[in-house]
Amino acid sequence: MTISIAIVGSGPAAFYTADALIKADCQCEVDIVERLPTPYGLIRYGVAPDHEKTKNVWRAFAKTAQNEHVRFYGNVEIGRDILLDELRNMYDAVVLAVGAGSDRSTGISGEEKKGVFGSATFVNWYNGHPDFRNLNPDLNVESAVVLGNGNVAIDVARVLVKTPNEMAMTDLPEYASKSIHNSTLRDVFMVGRRGPNEAKYTNVELREMGQLENCVPQIEALQIPNAVEGDMSDRDRRLREKNLATIKEFVDRKPNEKDKRVHFLYYSQPIEIFGEKRVEGVRFEKTRVQNGRAEGIGEYFDIKCGIVIAATGYTSKPVKDAPFDHKAGIVTNVDGLVDDGLYAVGWIKRGPTGVIGSNKPDGKLAAEQILARHAINNESGIKKGGREALNALLVQREIRSISFKEWQLIEAVEITNANEGAPRKKFVTISDMLGILK
Ligand code: NAP
């Protein structure tokens, strides 16, 4: 008997799950249901526009989407167009792969001020996400503070200071390019609450900061530890040693070498974002690292700035009709199992950590769990409506879903419209995307 599986979301975790299912020795029907007309989730809207190579994995995902057992249903939102419980009644298994697309609150006073953005919001804006294209961040400022020392913080800092020439062959949308490249921004302060050895960004990203066309990295020698110390895996030690070596190379860079500067500041935790009508600066408390944690030492200083981007982590929104662990910001699950026939993969399962490939084992595990459960339930012989039932419901509710072929038509126009050397010119509104199909 064919197993019907619906996957909600179409980012890496969704595609790795679909791939694991079609490669398994079973008869299955896999439907990927995505609220936007566009597939690929964070590949399209999370990876930085100047890191096109990282996005290349979409090619493998496109192959999966075109497999005979797989269908893509774009522009269909679970919780709005169709309830999760309705989907569960139609399919043998439902896999939640909706990611962690929201900003986690920093808990700092003043974070609601004008000019303060979470990185999920800001990254979606410069990546042309239809929900964020009207954000209009005011970049007519001299200084920016980026909070956090992860890869997202470094992505944001880099995109803010790269030149038009450096971004020419990217899919940075025109509105973001205008705003960033006409900006008066000169100094970006990237502030970590712990030290260089505890920073979470990877070395390729860090090294890139030393090779920018019109921006120079700045760091005070006093902030640099002599060596990497403490217990850790060999892999972590190698990464930290590489980062430490790179940071040390930044010490001799002159502030006036180039027009812009990214200042790497460590051992400083944000206490308050201040300003009258809008953000005017951030107050920090100096820290020391004790047992791996940042501890305030009662000394304070301010950085004046006109914009703050808090790259301090993402979180997931609760999924209607699924149990949610508010503290952890994930769907309540045990090894991906949420409820009978309901599974979770990727960031909604385990929180916003890891790289794209980290989602692969989640997909494999979910596929194994689904098949194991089916092997037991198969004896009962209950047949659910699956794809046929979904198609009927979409017609009944007059929901305009987008097939993968239709997405490819949209994509083809994006490629045709691209500036020379750029991979695509993204449509940034859903109506423009749907307009192509009329
Ligand atoms: P992340 O790696 O967890 O970094 C979050 C940063 O925010 C950390 O430096 C953390 O400091 C800091 N932070 C958290 N709460 C804070 C607070 N209240 N005050 C000050 N600082 C605070 O998360 P991310 O950068 O959002 O990245 C998410 C995942 O995507 C990561 O796994 C990342 O590697 C991945 N990613 C990868 C790439 C790439 O491969 N190029 C690009 C983008 C994202 P502590 O360490 O002290 O907690």
Side-chain angles (χ1 to χ4, degrees):
M1 200 159 71
T2 305
I3 318 171
S4 58
I5 302 132
I7 302 175
V8 185
S10 70
F15 274 105
Y16 285 129
T17 307
D19 189 53
L21 284 164
I22 57 179
K23 282 185 179 148
D25 187 18
C26 72
Q27 228 187 327
C28 61
E29 197 175 74
V30 184
D31 294 340
I32 299 176
V33 186
E34 160 64 54
R35 80 179 178 95
L36 292 172
T38 54
Y40 311 139
L42 269 193
I43 302 297
R44 184 171 164 102
Y45 295 119
V47 175
D50 57 335
H51 281 183
E52 186 61 29
K53 269 194 196 152
T54 311
K55 301 186 200 184
N56 263 337
V57 64
W58 72 262
R59 292 171 201 279
F61 296 164
K63 267 194 193 147
T64 302
Q66 290 168 92
N67 179 283
E68 57 179 321
H69 301 293
V70 179
R71 293 279 184 286
F72 175 73
Y73 291 85
N75 205 33
V76 180
E77 185 169 338
I78 299 308
R80 180 193 66 185
D81 300 322
I82 297 171
L83 297 177
L84 179 62
D85 283 346
E86 290 175 320
L87 203 65
R88 291 182 68 186
N89 284 334
M90 288 188 277
Y91 284 83
D92 294 319
V94 173
V95 183
L96 299 172
V98 293
S102 306
D103 289 305
R104 196 171 54 203
S105 161
T106 56
I108 311 165
S109 102
E111 74 171 342
E112 71 298 336
K113 283 192 194 302
K114 204 164 183 237
V116 181
F117 302 94
S119 55
T121 302
F122 199 75
V123 168
N124 274 312
W125 169 74
Y126 68 53
N127 273 326
H129 191 298
D131 292 353
F132 298 89
R133 62 174 295 274
N134 292 322
L135 190 72
N136 291 326
D138 182 358
L139 292 176
N140 281 319
V141 298
E142 300 220 327
S143 310
V145 164
V146 178
L147 298 173
N149 263 187
N151 274 324
V152 172
I154 217 162
D155 276 354
V156 168
R158 186 183 70 251
V159 169
L160 279 175
V161 296
K162 270 198 168 178
T163 61
N165 181 44
E166 284 172 309
M167 296 304 280
M169 294 203 190
T170 74
D171 58 8
L172 182 72
E174 227 162 70
Y175 65 79
S177 165
K178 270 191 191 148
S179 173
I180 292 171
H181 298 135
N182 292 335
S183 154
T184 44
L185 186 66
R186 290 289 171 270
D187 291 277
V188 176
F189 295 86
M190 215 179 110
V191 190
R193 61 182 170 183
R194 299 190 288 160
N197 284 344
E198 288 81 25
K200 287 177 172 159
Y201 37 68
T202 33
N203 191 252
V204 180
E205 280 70 19
L206 183 60
R207 261 185 293 141
E208 205 182 341
M209 299 307 280
Q211 298 153 359
L212 301 177
E213 210 170 66
N214 197 23
C215 180
V216 63
Q218 296 285 284
I219 175 161
E220 271 185 36
L222 275 176
Q223 293 222 299
I224 304 183
N226 292 326
V228 173
E229 282 165 1
D231 286 336
M232 66 196 79
S233 67
D234 288 350
R235 189 179 164 277
D236 279 353
R237 187 177 301 281
R238 273 198 305 277
L239 168 67
R240 289 177 183 205
E241 282 174 350
K242 269 188 178 174
N243 276 357
L244 190 57
T246 307
I247 281 284
K248 283 180 178 167
E249 287 170 19
F250 292 170
V251 172
D252 297 327
R253 302 294 295 267
K254 305 275 175 293
N256 54 358
E257 239 181 74
K258 300 188 175 175
D259 287 343
K260 298 183 184 179
R261 290 156 293 275
V262 169
H263 306 262
F264 287 83
L265 251 82
Y266 299 96
Y267 305 109
S268 306
Q269 60 188 6
I271 298 296
E272 183 197 347
I273 298 174
F274 58 86
E276 290 282 316
K277 287 197 178 125
R278 49 171 299 122
V279 55
E280 290 171 26
V282 186
R283 175 149 303 157
F284 292 92
E285 181 181 15
K286 292 187 183 172
T287 66
R288 65 173 163 231
V289 176
Q290 284 288 85
N291 301 322
R293 293 176 62 88
E295 257 184 29
I297 59 168
E299 289 175 32
Y300 300 87
F301 69 99
D302 294 346
I303 299 179
K304 294 221 165 106
C305 64
I307 185 167
V308 173
I309 295 119
T312 48
Y314 294 163
T315 189
S316 301
K317 277 194 198 138
V319 179
K320 200 166 176 287
D321 296 329
F324 197 74
D325 177 341
H326 289 268
K327 199 162 166 241
I330 54 174
V331 156
T332 311
N333 71 91
V334 178
D335 286 335
L337 183 63
V338 181
D339 190 12
D340 194 30
L342 184 63
Y343 306 83
V345 290
W347 283 5
I348 186 75
K349 164 190 170 183
R350 57 188 163 76
T353 57
V355 291
I356 295 163
S358 316
N359 296 295
K360 207 168 183 176
D362 283 358
K364 192 166 170 277
L365 179 63
E368 284 165 4
Q369 290 169 334
I370 291 167
L371 300 183
R373 174 178 175 269
H374 183 75
I376 299 166
N377 285 6
N378 202 12
E379 288 153 25
S380 72
I382 301 166
K383 172 101 178 81
K384 292 203 177 182
R387 184 174 297 161
E388 245 176 68
L390 176 64
N391 287 337
L393 193 66
L394 291 173
V395 170
Q396 187 203 330
R397 295 195 179 158
E398 297 181 10
I399 295 159
R400 169 66 166 107
S401 71
I402 301 290
S403 68
F404 198 73
K405 275 214 163 70
E406 287 177 312
W407 150 247
Q408 286 179 307
L409 291 175
I410 298 171
E411 187 186 34
V413 180
E414 289 193 339
I415 293 169
T416 309
N417 289 350
N419 294 331
E420 206 187 323
R424 66 192 72 77
K425 184 176 184 179
K426 284 179 184 171
F427 285 109
V428 295
T429 68
I430 291 177
S431 58
D432 284 350
M433 293 176 199
L434 300 186
I436 293 298
L437 306 175
K438 279 194 181 136

